[in-house]
Amino acid sequence: MPFGRLAACVPLLSLLASCTTTIRPPVAVNDPARVLVLTHGISSSLVLPDERGGGVRFAYGDWRYYALGQTGLCETLAAVLWPTRAALGRQVIEPAMIERLSHEVAVAIVVDRKAVDGLRARLEAIFFQAIDSWVYNPGHRLEFVTHPQPYSLRNNSNRQVARWLRELGAEVSGVPLLPKWIEAPAR
């Protein structure tokens, strides 16, 4: 790449690297439940606790790249440049496995259990309605089905996790292009 083009990319790369998304948990929580935001390279996922003391991890991404593991240049460019088929990933996490996720946890916040149960039920419904598209990707430890909303740079895994957090009553600020999450105290 010529030096001029490389120099032109530096401000953009610096901007992307500095993009931090702040999560502020809800103030009033009647029945507390701890949710985990996990980071995996350039993507994020969300672990919603369940009644057994474990949880269910949900992830969102490009179907070919994330679910099928087709990570070549063409698949990568397609996932970034235009809307593509999307995937909803799901992993049931046993209670003993929760602590093993600590190296992937970017943020853990407390929200209301009723909101968690509602979001988990909605995501489970999406998952089981598309069960005929089921695939398992052992590299991500996730079961995948197709998701009805197309994947794009404007609708990537980090932005989807931000939407889910808002649904849980958290305030999310910043541009969640990359999985650079921080927690701010509740107001």
Side-chain angles (χ1 to χ4, degrees):
M1 176 182 284
F3 180 75
R5 285 187 182 168
L6 181 61
C9 292
V10 170
L12 177 61
L13 293 174
S14 297
L15 177 66
L16 286 175
S18 67
C19 287
T20 300
T21 305
T22 302
I23 304 167
R24 190 176 303 277
V27 177
V29 175
N30 294 324
D31 186 8
R34 186 170 158 252
V35 299
L36 309 174
V37 177
L38 307 183
T39 59
H40 328 277
I42 60 170
S43 64
S44 300
S45 61
L46 186 68
V47 177
L48 301 174
D50 64 17
E51 59 285 340
R52 305 169 301 114
V56 182
R57 174 181 160 216
F58 290 99
Y60 175 86
D62 174 78
W63 179 258
R64 288 180 8 188
Y65 188 92
Y66 203 22
L68 302 181
Q70 297 173 356
T71 57
L73 181 60
C74 290
E75 291 83 7
T76 302
L77 289 174
V80 172
L81 296 177
W82 52 79
T84 58
R85 187 176 181 192
L88 177 65
R90 178 180 176 274
Q91 176 190 20
V92 175
I93 300 172
E94 297 302 322
M97 290 178 57
I98 290 288
E99 293 306 316
R100 293 186 205 153
L101 296 175
S102 62
H103 67 284
E104 297 177 55
V105 176
V107 173
I109 63 168
V110 174
V111 299
D112 199 289
R113 185 169 308 280
K114 185 175 181 179
V116 168
D117 293 344
L119 177 59
R120 192 175 63 243
R122 188 176 70 74
L123 294 174
E124 293 279 7
I126 292 169
F127 186 87
F128 287 107
Q129 285 172 359
I131 200 69
D132 60 327
S133 62
W134 183 93
V135 297
Y136 179 71
N137 184 318
H140 295 297
R141 304 179 319 270
L142 289 165
E143 302 174 287
F144 286 98
V145 297
T146 57
H147 190 280
Q149 294 177 336
Y151 178 88
S152 68
L153 187 59
R154 294 179 59 118
N155 192 36
N156 67 18
S157 69
N158 304 307
R159 288 179 184 242
Q160 190 66 50
V161 167
R163 283 186 202 97
W164 292 338
L165 288 165
R166 287 183 189 107
E167 198 171 324
L168 294 172
E171 183 181 311
V172 180
S173 58
V175 181
L177 284 176
L178 298 173
K180 198 170 179 184
W181 305 93
I182 60 169
E183 181 182 354
R187 293 182 201 216

